[in-house]
Amino acid sequence: MSHNTFGHLFRVTTWGESHGAALGCVVDGCPPGLKLDEAFVQAFLDARKPGTSRFVTQRKEPDQVRILSGVFEDDRTDGQVTTGTPVSMMIENVDQRSKDYSEIRDRYRPGHADYAYDQKYGIRDYRGGGRSSARETAARVAAGAVARRVLGDDNQIRGAVVQIGPHAIDREAWDWDETTRNPFWCPDAAAAAKWEAFLDETRKAGSSAGAVVEVQASGVPAGWGAPVYGKLDAELAGAMMSINAAKGVEIGAGFAAAAFSGEQNADEMRMGNEGVRFLSNNNGGVAGGISTGQDVVVRIAIKPTSSILTMTQSVTRDGEEVDVRTKGRHDPCVGIRAVPVAEAMLACVLADAKLRHRGQMG
Amino acid sequence: MSHNTFGHLFRVTTWGESHGAALGCVVDGCPPGLKLDEAFVQAFLDARKPGTSRFVTQRKEPDQVRILSGVFEDDRTDGQVTTGTPVSMMIENVDQRSKDYSEIRDRYRPGHADYAYDQKYGIRDYRGGGRSSARETAARVAAGAVARRVLGDDNQIRGAVVQIGPHAIDREAWDWDETTRNPFWCPDAAAAAKWEAFLDETRKAGSSAGAVVEVQASGVPAGWGAPVYGKLDAELAGAMMSINAAKGVEIGAGFAAAAFSGEQNADEMRMGNEGVRFLSNNNGGVAGGISTGQDVVVRIAIKPTSSILTMTQSVTRDGEEVDVRTKGRHDPCVGIRAVPVAEAMLACVLADAKLRHRGQMG
Amino acid sequence: MSHNTFGHLFRVTTWGESHGAALGCVVDGCPPGLKLDEAFVQAFLDARKPGTSRFVTQRKEPDQVRILSGVFEDDRTDGQVTTGTPVSMMIENVDQRSKDYSEIRDRYRPGHADYAYDQKYGIRDYRGGGRSSARETAARVAAGAVARRVLGDDNQIRGAVVQIGPHAIDREAWDWDETTRNPFWCPDAAAAAKWEAFLDETRKAGSSAGAVVEVQASGVPAGWGAPVYGKLDAELAGAMMSINAAKGVEIGAGFAAAAFSGEQNADEMRMGNEGVRFLSNNNGGVAGGISTGQDVVVRIAIKPTSSILTMTQSVTRDGEEVDVRTKGRHDPCVGIRAVPVAEAMLACVLADAKLRHRGQMG
Amino acid sequence: MSHNTFGHLFRVTTWGESHGAALGCVVDGCPPGLKLDEAFVQAFLDARKPGTSRFVTQRKEPDQVRILSGVFEDDRTDGQVTTGTPVSMMIENVDQRSKDYSEIRDRYRPGHADYAYDQKYGIRDYRGGGRSSARETAARVAAGAVARRVLGDDNQIRGAVVQIGPHAIDREAWDWDETTRNPFWCPDAAAAAKWEAFLDETRKAGSSAGAVVEVQASGVPAGWGAPVYGKLDAELAGAMMSINAAKGVEIGAGFAAAAFSGEQNADEMRMGNEGVRFLSNNNGGVAGGISTGQDVVVRIAIKPTSSILTMTQSVTRDGEEVDVRTKGRHDPCVGIRAVPVAEAMLACVLADAKLRHRGQMG
């Protein structure tokens, strides 16, 4: 995780500002011969795209991806495939409206990166948050599509929102199909209804709400990851915490495990038809930093969008006290659009773990 | 975070098994001229040492550190100082009692890394958990002592246990001095009393308890860290999740932020005598991945010790169902001894962030 | 040096194939506030551009660079400056003529990477050599321009060709100004005249010639680089050997030093007006992997262009013996256009060394 | 190559000073199940050991290696084998005689790293050259032994000295068996005789001589390495240039290729009984940065030992002009003992390339 690059063998570098000409990524280390074309990547970008419901930003970005390198097609290949060289992908920014932001170039929006960037760099591209904008996550989603090809059909990676504001889902009611029927990736129909009312109220008040996102990977074989700083869960924690507005990450039972007894927490084992069978998954599919063959389960706490219409106390670049309110087009709950992003990060970390594992183990 | 190494400019590599000859670390990239001798490092190791109360493992390890390289002393230096070359430190294992573990060489202890290691490597040093043992964390603590020298006196790094089992502290009662008066690093005297009774019960039942550890760094200037995968909080999350038994990490308000409104979450700013003053610290000292000048605040969920005396269902290496119970000398609550370890990881991540920041910024 | 990325704090990732849509680079870790616009970068690209004399490839590529991110300009900045976030640059391929290469898709050109790529990846973009083409070096030159900004005006980086085929220059006749007066970057007018005749003959014979390139950096302060694998000369050797067709790298006296006595080789020291003065520079500005303050001097052996019109014995992908001759537009001596590339690599390695040095040393 | 670490999946970190307590290395990423015990490693260390003939330093170091971690043995393993966790190895310094160096603590020995270290760090362990001493290479040799296990019996790695002072071998007379019959690793009996006289003269004169070392690896399959900065030859160049006193590296024909025509340089291909057969190996087994299946051939220029008894002009730390002569026990030609070191570096780079290749390619 070196500034704008993450991964070891499957390496992702992203670039671009919210209101620059374009943004994109370079995916290096990808195995050759994997089917990859723009339509495949686009499908994942469309899932993250702004403007799809009234609960997300109304900025209209087509987020059309172009693959600029690393793929090849001739009459001997099965469509367009990767060649093993870097896959460069680019998304042009279209609907930028930079003037919206002119008034905040000298005012620090509380909760935003404005102040920290200025303190570090002495200069910042304040248009739409520049590099700190969640627009950067489009590049992650594009990279995640490549990662899914590396993982292949053996792995299924899925995500859901499990809490919005103070309203958590009923995990007993979990139905993956439900996540496609509401604009919240909510696996619990009753919770989705509650969230709709809650977010309408939030949105009308010019406020915002936090959320908890959960992503899961099934089909991960036992053995990926490595002691002790390259632990699979350590890599996941770093990757997830790098998502905009993330303030917490947990694996399996997570913080709940702190209240458990040793007996409650033990994931007991029995033999099943296809080998070892675990009686619970408090470990979230990772023990000692290495996958166990169970589903990998990660949750991410997403703080409320910092851009709110309510007046908040702040200061200017020159040290004057001011009150600010953030106009512009914002997600009332960024946690919703974080789902495809968290899925992408899970896919990238697992793809890297897969390649590293077979590097060491053959 | 490449297997057994972490950090970029301030880099820590650790090695060693629980019951091998020794364990240690190599700290590379350390600035020269910093005072460093064995006594200084030893003080931190003593804080983590086993056998100091009835609430931690009774294994007797002096954990005596030797500094093997990277320091120098002559009549022109102020005692022994670093030279800028790798600091290698070693701790010999003394009280190993390897025979304690002979019976679990073929039986997987639920919650432990046994099964995952065997699935990955096909072989494991099962004596005391081998590389997956928390004994490895002694090397982290030694490295953390060096990191504190890199940070210097401007930074104060402190830790506490804020929850054991289901019993959280009262944050209003927080008193740092209290952490030195009880064997739990508990900042709340009333909670410490409760924990004592709770853990005695737990210990006598042969069970174990989880915990939440909190570490804080004050004196961190605004500007450390970098977008977007090298975010300071992303580095912290990875580092903390690599600690044995960690299942969750949060920064600032963490998971609680998910339930906040945008207004509640905003860390409003006013001007104080020494520049910008924040009215709250929900961000935990990090915004957009860059430090804000506020205290850096990190919490880690530690699951209950997997080694319990209660019989649990498991399987053998050969696929037979068995019931296991883990004898040996174990911490009833590993969260307690995780405090100096989490402090060390915080120090190492910050030292690295400091060096990287001045590398880019001058 | 991880596949398509090099550098530690100043990190360069390149992407793109010879006949793909475009090629480019992402430069990460650049300090903020440095003047950087397309015109500045373009000047270096123009120096490397194909088609400038009859001694280089006749492919017509404008090599027009676009800066897509990492820069910003408003009324408070001194023109367009870096922001500290990744600088993404792109060059579109224009004059591709892919049909030229259709006949060699199944035939391995001796000396080229064709066979090795096919053996590794099982697939290759054979159009113009794909990723193995020297077109990739345009991206290095763009990155090198950014590196020069990081180094600032204190460092002067220059290059020359010192040998073409068997004809070496007379070092006594070295005149830097001369390098701009002939199409060979030759610092010796007499040698340039000889090379002109030699290369005309070579070109007409459909053959090609090797060369030795020398690059120098002045103004490098003592202290950059670090023991023992991060030695400045080790970084330089890796960086230079990664240039297409490079087969050797030497620092200072290089291979000649093998024949020296200890007395001949010693760079003796005296005191000068501005501190230590060396009486010779056999070390090439680096001792123990750390710069000494003398000029850094590196030479690179470039093999003859593998693409020649002479018929050579080869095999096909399917294992049939064939004779091949490489049509297309090629440099009779790739060493000539390697000069701006080697300069760029020298600038990038030094920029990285500068940032790492101040990271560790403050 | 991050300061004291090199490699990506097979990673080597070394530590230790010439006159410190000990030196050693940590080898991370090693596959499990490989036979590894101290006797195996010791054999390689013995080949590099000081004091074996009158042509190398007379310092008496047993260089006894201890393996401290990463290996395991029980009744189910085939002797002691690797476990996949870090292999830590240590060699204690025994024959230090630090007083020999007291008089040069303030005087810079020309050609040595003394001045550069002081300029960088402001402090140095001047005893025996501290970290810049070639004693560090013992740790490389130990790591190289592990690398050979990773490569297995398919690869043969061998080295020779091919030039001492101005006297090169006759390559037509090359006989590998000869390298074990003289104290110079010389494959040409006639050259060895000449060197003996030459070096006796050199030694008696208190002078020193340079050398060229050549290492070769056979059995490397086509496909290892990767474009474009992770080229196998780029990795080799960096690794070899990091060896003490190295001033040049070449692959295959190396600098001689600069004088070749395209026809002379082309490694033509025909079909042989076991696939493609090359008619020459000017490329040194690497094309486009990827191995071709031919022998990998690398040569390294080693400058004369800087420690000579002849008086040379120098300066002190305080800027006074002095004349120095270096007493102590030194190699008259460090190139000789560089052979096992260069072999070790070749083994390590290839082991890493092997693991990375199978990571990406499966």
Side-chain angles (χ1 to χ4, degrees):
Chain A
M1 311 261 292
S2 298
H3 292 190
N4 296 280
T5 298
F6 72 100
H8 302 259
L9 287 189
F10 182 86
R11 293 161 57 81
V12 177
T13 300
T14 71
W15 55 270
E17 275 79 34
S18 177
H19 288 217
L23 59 88
C25 64
V26 182
V27 180
D28 198 7
C30 186
L34 305 174
K35 280 183 75 96
L36 189 74
D37 56 25
E38 289 166 0
F40 178 75
V41 178
Q42 194 62 48
F44 293 96
L45 283 165
D46 289 348
R48 178 203 157 279
K49 202 166 61 174
T52 53
S53 84
R54 69 181 184 275
F55 304 108
V56 298
T57 175
Q58 296 306 299
R59 177 169 172 174
K60 300 292 183 204
E61 283 290 351
D63 277 357
Q64 198 71 41
V65 71
R66 280 182 66 199
I67 304 181
L68 298 171
S69 70
V71 292
F72 187 64
E73 177 171 16
D74 73 5
D75 54 13
R76 291 180 298 199
T77 62
D78 179 19
Q80 187 171 272
V81 299
T82 58
T83 59
T85 62
V87 178
S88 176
M89 295 186 281
M90 183 171 72
I91 296 161
E92 292 188 61
N93 287 320
V94 174
D95 181 22
Q96 305 171 0
R97 297 203 206 165
S98 293
K99 62 179 155 22
D100 280 353
Y101 295 93
S102 57
E103 73 175 28
I104 52 100
R105 75 172 215 180
D106 297 312
R107 289 153 182 250
Y108 297 130
R109 296 164 298 168
H112 272 285
D114 303 349
Y115 173 74
Y117 266 62
D118 253 7
Q119 289 292 309
K120 183 178 190 75
Y121 298 118
I123 180 178
R124 75 194 151 93
D125 180 348
Y126 43 77
R127 300 167 304 164
R131 183 71 183 148
S132 72
S133 164
R135 260 201 80 59
E136 184 270 344
T137 60
R140 304 183 189 221
V141 170
V146 183
R148 286 176 195 256
R149 286 299 198 210
V150 175
L151 293 170
D153 295 335
D154 296 337
N155 294 108
Q156 186 173 24
I157 286 171
R158 294 184 292 192
V161 177
V162 299
Q163 181 183 327
I164 286 187
H167 308 294
I169 62 160
D170 173 6
R171 293 188 73 92
E172 299 297 315
W174 193 297
D175 175 3
W176 279 110
D177 292 338
E178 198 57 42
T179 59
T180 63
R181 292 191 202 113
N182 59 66
F184 311 112
W185 309 98
C186 181
D188 166 5
K194 209 184 307 170
W195 293 354
E196 182 161 358
F198 173 74
L199 279 183
D200 271 331
E201 199 179 335
T202 298
R203 194 168 49 87
K204 283 169 190 161
S207 185
S208 63
V212 177
V213 168
E214 179 168 326
V215 284
Q216 298 186 10
S218 58
V220 176
W224 292 2
V228 293
Y229 307 111
K231 280 175 173 159
L232 185 58
D233 37 359
E235 299 273 352
L236 285 168
M240 295 305 172
M241 196 67 101
S242 79
I243 296 175
N244 304 55
K247 298 307 292 183
V249 181
E250 55 183 18
I251 309 284
F255 276 86
F260 287 176
S261 69
E263 289 76 11
Q264 287 172 297
N265 191 61
D267 292 327
E268 296 184 288
M269 290 178 267
R270 296 279 88 176
M271 293 307 298
N273 293 332
E274 297 171 16
V276 166
R277 182 170 56 88
F278 289 87
L279 307 187
S280 56
N281 189 14
N282 290 311
N283 264 333
V286 187
I290 297 172
S291 61
T292 60
Q294 290 193 280
D295 286 356
V296 174
V297 179
V298 187
R299 269 182 306 282
I300 308 127
I302 304 286
K303 71 177 184 180
T305 316
S306 295
S307 299
I308 52 178
L309 288 175
T310 314
M311 203 64 98
T312 48
Q313 302 181 73
S314 187
V315 299
T316 67
R317 190 180 161 94
D318 298 324
E320 284 174 77
E321 298 193 340
V322 287
D323 288 350
V324 302
R325 108 175 18 172
T326 313
K327 291 179 224 155
R329 300 152 296 169
H330 302 288
D331 292 273
C333 176
V334 283
I336 299 169
R337 287 173 59 216
V339 171
V341 178
E343 287 181 11
M345 295 307 281
L346 179 53
C348 289
V349 169
L350 289 175
D352 190 38
K354 177 181 180 174
L355 301 191
R356 291 164 86 189
H357 176 71
R358 73 185 185 195
Q360 187 176 12
M361 301 306 305
Chain B
M1 311 260 291
S2 297
H3 292 189
N4 296 281
T5 298
F6 72 100
H8 301 261
L9 288 190
F10 182 86
R11 295 159 57 80
V12 177
T13 300
T14 70
W15 55 269
E17 274 79 34
S18 176
H19 288 217
L23 59 88
C25 64
V26 183
V27 180
D28 198 7
C30 186
L34 306 174
K35 280 183 74 96
L36 189 75
D37 56 23
E38 288 166 1
F40 178 75
V41 179
Q42 193 63 47
F44 294 97
L45 282 165
D46 289 348
R48 178 203 156 279
K49 202 165 61 174
T52 52
S53 83
R54 70 180 182 275
F55 304 107
V56 298
T57 174
Q58 296 307 299
R59 179 169 170 173
K60 300 291 184 207
E61 284 290 351
D63 277 357
Q64 199 70 41
V65 71
R66 281 182 66 198
I67 304 181
L68 299 170
S69 69
V71 291
F72 188 64
E73 177 170 16
D74 72 7
D75 53 15
R76 292 181 297 200
T77 62
D78 178 19
Q80 187 171 272
V81 299
T82 58
T83 59
T85 61
V87 178
S88 176
M89 295 186 281
M90 182 171 72
I91 296 161
E92 292 188 62
N93 286 320
V94 174
D95 181 20
Q96 305 172 358
R97 296 202 207 165
S98 293
K99 61 178 157 14
D100 280 352
Y101 295 93
S102 56
E103 73 176 29
I104 52 99
R105 75 173 215 181
D106 297 312
R107 290 154 181 248
Y108 298 131
R109 295 165 298 166
H112 272 285
D114 303 348
Y115 173 73
Y117 267 61
D118 252 8
Q119 289 292 309
K120 183 178 190 75
Y121 297 118
I123 180 178
R124 76 194 151 93
D125 180 347
Y126 44 78
R127 300 167 304 164
R131 183 71 182 149
S132 72
S133 164
R135 260 200 79 60
E136 183 271 343
T137 60
R140 305 183 188 220
V141 170
V146 183
R148 286 176 194 255
R149 286 299 197 209
V150 175
L151 293 170
D153 294 335
D154 297 336
N155 294 109
Q156 186 174 24
I157 287 172
R158 294 183 292 192
V161 176
V162 298
Q163 181 183 326
I164 287 186
H167 307 294
I169 62 161
D170 173 7
R171 294 188 74 90
E172 300 297 315
W174 193 297
D175 175 2
W176 279 111
D177 291 338
E178 197 58 41
T179 59
T180 62
R181 293 190 202 113
N182 59 66
F184 311 113
W185 310 98
C186 181
D188 166 4
K194 209 185 306 171
W195 294 353
E196 181 161 358
F198 173 74
L199 279 182
D200 271 331
E201 199 179 334
T202 299
R203 195 167 49 86
K204 284 169 190 160
S207 185
S208 63
V212 177
V213 168
E214 179 168 326
V215 284
Q216 300 185 10
S218 58
V220 176
W224 291 2
V228 295
Y229 305 112
K231 281 176 173 158
L232 184 57
D233 38 358
E235 300 273 352
L236 285 168
M240 296 303 174
M241 196 67 100
S242 79
I243 297 174
N244 304 55
K247 298 307 291 182
V249 181
E250 56 183 18
I251 310 285
F255 276 88
F260 286 175
S261 69
E263 290 76 11
Q264 288 172 296
N265 191 61
D267 292 328
E268 295 185 288
M269 291 178 266
R270 296 281 88 176
M271 293 308 298
N273 293 333
E274 297 171 15
V276 167
R277 183 171 55 88
F278 290 87
L279 307 187
S280 57
N281 189 12
N282 290 311
N283 264 335
V286 187
I290 297 171
S291 61
T292 60
Q294 290 193 280
D295 286 356
V296 174
V297 180
V298 188
R299 269 181 306 282
I300 307 126
I302 304 287
K303 70 178 184 181
T305 317
S306 295
S307 300
I308 50 178
L309 288 174
T310 314
M311 202 65 99
T312 48
Q313 302 181 74
S314 187
V315 300
T316 67
R317 190 181 161 94
D318 299 324
E320 284 174 78
E321 298 190 340
V322 286
D323 288 349
V324 302
R325 110 171 18 168
T326 312
K327 291 180 224 155
R329 300 151 297 167
H330 303 287
D331 293 272
C333 176
V334 281
I336 300 168
R337 287 174 59 216
V339 171
V341 178
E343 287 181 11
M345 295 306 282
L346 179 54
C348 289
V349 169
L350 290 175
D352 190 37
K354 176 180 182 173
L355 301 191
R356 292 164 85 189
H357 176 71
R358 72 184 185 195
Q360 186 176 12
M361 301 306 304
Chain C
M1 312 262 292
S2 297
H3 291 191
N4 297 280
T5 298
F6 70 100
H8 302 259
L9 288 190
F10 181 86
R11 294 159 57 79
V12 177
T13 300
T14 70
W15 55 270
E17 275 79 34
S18 176
H19 288 216
L23 59 89
C25 63
V26 183
V27 180
D28 199 7
C30 186
L34 305 175
K35 281 183 74 94
L36 189 74
D37 55 25
E38 289 166 1
F40 178 75
V41 179
Q42 193 63 47
F44 294 97
L45 282 165
D46 289 348
R48 178 204 158 278
K49 203 166 62 174
T52 52
S53 82
R54 69 181 183 275
F55 305 107
V56 299
T57 174
Q58 295 306 301
R59 179 170 171 173
K60 300 292 183 205
E61 284 290 350
D63 277 356
Q64 198 69 42
V65 71
R66 282 182 66 199
I67 303 181
L68 298 170
S69 70
V71 291
F72 187 65
E73 176 169 18
D74 72 6
D75 54 13
R76 291 180 298 198
T77 62
D78 178 19
Q80 187 172 273
V81 298
T82 58
T83 60
T85 62
V87 178
S88 176
M89 295 185 280
M90 182 172 72
I91 296 161
E92 292 188 62
N93 287 322
V94 174
D95 180 21
Q96 303 171 1
R97 298 203 206 163
S98 293
K99 61 179 155 32
D100 280 354
Y101 296 92
S102 57
E103 73 176 30
I104 51 99
R105 77 175 215 181
D106 297 313
R107 290 155 181 247
Y108 298 131
R109 295 166 298 168
H112 271 286
D114 303 349
Y115 173 74
Y117 266 62
D118 252 9
Q119 288 293 308
K120 182 177 189 76
Y121 297 118
I123 180 178
R124 75 192 152 95
D125 180 347
Y126 44 78
R127 301 167 304 164
R131 183 70 181 150
S132 72
S133 164
R135 260 200 80 59
E136 185 269 344
T137 60
R140 304 183 189 220
V141 170
V146 183
R148 285 175 194 257
R149 285 299 198 211
V150 175
L151 294 171
D153 295 334
D154 296 337
N155 293 110
Q156 186 175 22
I157 287 171
R158 294 184 291 192
V161 176
V162 297
Q163 180 183 328
I164 287 187
H167 307 294
I169 62 161
D170 173 6
R171 294 187 76 90
E172 299 298 314
W174 192 299
D175 175 3
W176 278 109
D177 291 339
E178 197 58 40
T179 59
T180 63
R181 293 190 202 115
N182 60 65
F184 310 112
W185 310 99
C186 181
D188 167 4
K194 208 184 309 170
W195 294 354
E196 183 161 355
F198 173 73
L199 279 182
D200 271 331
E201 198 180 335
T202 299
R203 195 169 48 86
K204 283 168 191 161
S207 185
S208 62
V212 176
V213 168
E214 178 167 326
V215 285
Q216 299 186 10
S218 58
V220 176
W224 291 2
V228 294
Y229 306 112
K231 281 175 173 158
L232 185 57
D233 37 358
E235 300 272 351
L236 285 168
M240 296 304 172
M241 196 67 100
S242 79
I243 297 176
N244 304 55
K247 299 306 292 182
V249 181
E250 54 183 17
I251 310 285
F255 276 87
F260 286 176
S261 69
E263 289 76 11
Q264 287 172 297
N265 191 61
D267 292 328
E268 294 184 288
M269 291 179 267
R270 296 280 87 176
M271 293 309 297
N273 294 332
E274 296 171 17
V276 168
R277 181 171 56 88
F278 289 88
L279 306 188
S280 56
N281 189 13
N282 291 311
N283 263 335
V286 186
I290 297 172
S291 61
T292 60
Q294 290 192 278
D295 287 356
V296 174
V297 179
V298 188
R299 269 181 307 282
I300 308 126
I302 304 287
K303 70 177 185 181
T305 317
S306 296
S307 300
I308 49 178
L309 288 175
T310 314
M311 203 64 98
T312 48
Q313 301 183 74
S314 186
V315 299
T316 67
R317 192 180 160 93
D318 298 324
E320 285 174 77
E321 298 192 339
V322 286
D323 289 348
V324 302
R325 106 171 22 167
T326 312
K327 292 179 224 155
R329 300 152 295 168
H330 302 290
D331 293 272
C333 175
V334 284
I336 299 169
R337 288 173 60 216
V339 171
V341 179
E343 286 180 12
M345 296 306 282
L346 179 54
C348 289
V349 169
L350 289 176
D352 190 38
K354 177 181 181 173
L355 302 190
R356 292 163 85 189
H357 176 71
R358 74 184 185 195
Q360 186 175 11
M361 301 305 305
Chain D
M1 312 262 292
S2 297
H3 291 190
N4 297 280
T5 298
F6 70 101
H8 301 260
L9 288 189
F10 182 86
R11 294 160 57 79
V12 177
T13 300
T14 70
W15 55 270
E17 274 79 34
S18 176
H19 288 216
L23 58 88
C25 64
V26 183
V27 180
D28 198 8
C30 185
L34 305 174
K35 280 183 75 95
L36 188 74
D37 56 25
E38 290 166 1
F40 178 75
V41 179
Q42 193 63 48
F44 294 97
L45 283 165
D46 289 347
R48 177 202 158 280
K49 203 165 61 175
T52 52
S53 82
R54 70 180 182 277
F55 305 106
V56 299
T57 174
Q58 296 307 302
R59 179 170 170 173
K60 301 291 182 205
E61 283 291 350
D63 277 356
Q64 198 70 41
V65 70
R66 280 183 65 199
I67 304 181
L68 298 170
S69 69
V71 291
F72 188 63
E73 176 170 17
D74 74 4
D75 54 14
R76 291 180 298 198
T77 61
D78 178 19
Q80 188 171 274
V81 298
T82 59
T83 60
T85 61
V87 178
S88 176
M89 295 184 281
M90 183 171 71
I91 296 161
E92 292 188 62
N93 287 322
V94 174
D95 181 20
Q96 304 170 1
R97 297 203 206 163
S98 294
K99 59 178 156 25
D100 280 354
Y101 295 93
S102 56
E103 73 176 29
I104 52 101
R105 76 175 216 180
D106 297 313
R107 290 153 182 249
Y108 298 132
R109 296 165 298 167
H112 272 286
D114 303 348
Y115 173 73
Y117 266 61
D118 252 9
Q119 289 293 309
K120 182 177 189 77
Y121 297 119
I123 180 179
R124 75 194 152 93
D125 180 347
Y126 44 78
R127 302 167 303 163
R131 183 70 182 149
S132 72
S133 164
R135 259 200 81 59
E136 184 270 344
T137 59
R140 304 183 190 220
V141 170
V146 184
R148 286 175 193 257
R149 284 300 197 210
V150 175
L151 293 170
D153 295 334
D154 295 338
N155 294 108
Q156 186 174 23
I157 288 172
R158 294 184 291 191
V161 176
V162 297
Q163 180 183 328
I164 286 187
H167 307 295
I169 62 160
D170 173 6
R171 294 187 74 91
E172 299 298 315
W174 192 297
D175 175 3
W176 279 111
D177 291 339
E178 197 58 40
T179 60
T180 62
R181 292 189 203 117
N182 58 67
F184 310 113
W185 310 97
C186 180
D188 166 5
K194 209 184 308 170
W195 295 353
E196 183 162 355
F198 173 74
L199 280 181
D200 271 331
E201 198 179 336
T202 299
R203 196 168 48 86
K204 285 168 192 162
S207 185
S208 63
V212 176
V213 168
E214 178 167 325
V215 284
Q216 299 186 10
S218 58
V220 175
W224 291 3
V228 296
Y229 307 112
K231 281 175 173 157
L232 185 57
D233 36 0
E235 300 272 352
L236 285 169
M240 296 304 172
M241 197 67 100
S242 79
I243 297 175
N244 304 54
K247 298 308 290 183
V249 181
E250 54 183 18
I251 309 286
F255 277 86
F260 286 176
S261 69
E263 289 76 11
Q264 287 172 297
N265 191 60
D267 292 328
E268 296 185 287
M269 291 179 266
R270 296 280 87 177
M271 294 307 298
N273 294 333
E274 295 172 18
V276 167
R277 183 171 56 88
F278 289 87
L279 307 188
S280 57
N281 190 13
N282 290 311
N283 264 333
V286 186
I290 298 171
S291 62
T292 61
Q294 290 191 279
D295 286 356
V296 174
V297 179
V298 188
R299 267 181 307 282
I300 307 125
I302 304 288
K303 70 177 185 182
T305 317
S306 296
S307 300
I308 49 178
L309 288 175
T310 314
M311 203 64 97
T312 48
Q313 301 183 74
S314 187
V315 299
T316 67
R317 190 180 162 95
D318 298 324
E320 285 174 77
E321 298 191 340
V322 286
D323 289 348
V324 302
R325 106 172 20 169
T326 313
K327 291 179 224 154
R329 301 152 296 168
H330 302 289
D331 293 272
C333 175
V334 282
I336 299 168
R337 287 173 59 216
V339 171
V341 179
E343 286 180 12
M345 295 307 282
L346 178 55
C348 288
V349 169
L350 289 175
D352 190 38
K354 176 180 181 173
L355 301 191
R356 292 164 85 190
H357 176 71
R358 73 185 186 195
Q360 186 176 12
M361 301 306 305

